[in-house]
Amino acid sequence: MTNRIFIAMDKRYRQANKEARLSLYLTLLYLIFWIAFAYLLGDQAGLLGFPAWFELSCLFAPIGFIIACYFIVKYQFKDIPLESPQSIPPHE
């Protein structure tokens, strides 16, 4: 039987991984929306007079994703110290 060493992952690394995953998912989702709007819509006119593909992929999708980024950063990201607990000097 082999001894397996399990390294407990620091909470900071778990939070950093969560934030990186959320950022990657949001980026991929934006790319999918941009490609879908830009290449799958016809040439019909949009609300502002531009072609619908342009309005959705270049005007409305970025605004929507800026709002989504705001809420993800506000509610999912946390301010964490970057120093290890051993390197922080004790308060006097």
Side-chain angles (χ1 to χ4, degrees):
M1 196 157 188
T2 63
N3 276 338
R4 292 186 182 193
I5 300 173
F6 294 101
I7 299 173
M9 206 168 168
D10 190 357
K11 289 182 181 182
R12 296 175 297 150
Y13 296 122
R14 281 192 296 222
Q15 181 64 28
N17 284 334
K18 176 183 165 187
E19 292 173 5
R21 273 194 318 274
L22 285 171
S23 299
L24 177 66
Y25 296 154
L26 195 61
T27 302
L28 292 175
L29 189 63
Y30 177 73
L31 183 64
I32 290 168
F33 271 73
W34 188 86
I35 290 172
F37 289 149
Y39 293 109
L40 299 179
L41 291 177
D43 287 334
Q44 65 268 22
L47 296 173
L48 303 175
F50 295 111
W53 65 266
F54 176 79
E55 285 185 4
L56 290 174
S57 65
C58 297
L59 298 176
F60 297 131
I63 292 170
F65 278 94
I66 288 171
I67 293 168
C69 288
Y70 170 78
F71 284 109
I72 286 178
V73 169
K74 181 174 175 106
Y75 294 112
Q76 296 295 321
F77 283 33
K78 295 180 182 173
D79 189 18
I80 55 175
L82 299 178
E83 296 86 20
S84 66
Q86 294 84 14
S87 67
I88 299 174
H91 294 286
E92 294 183 38

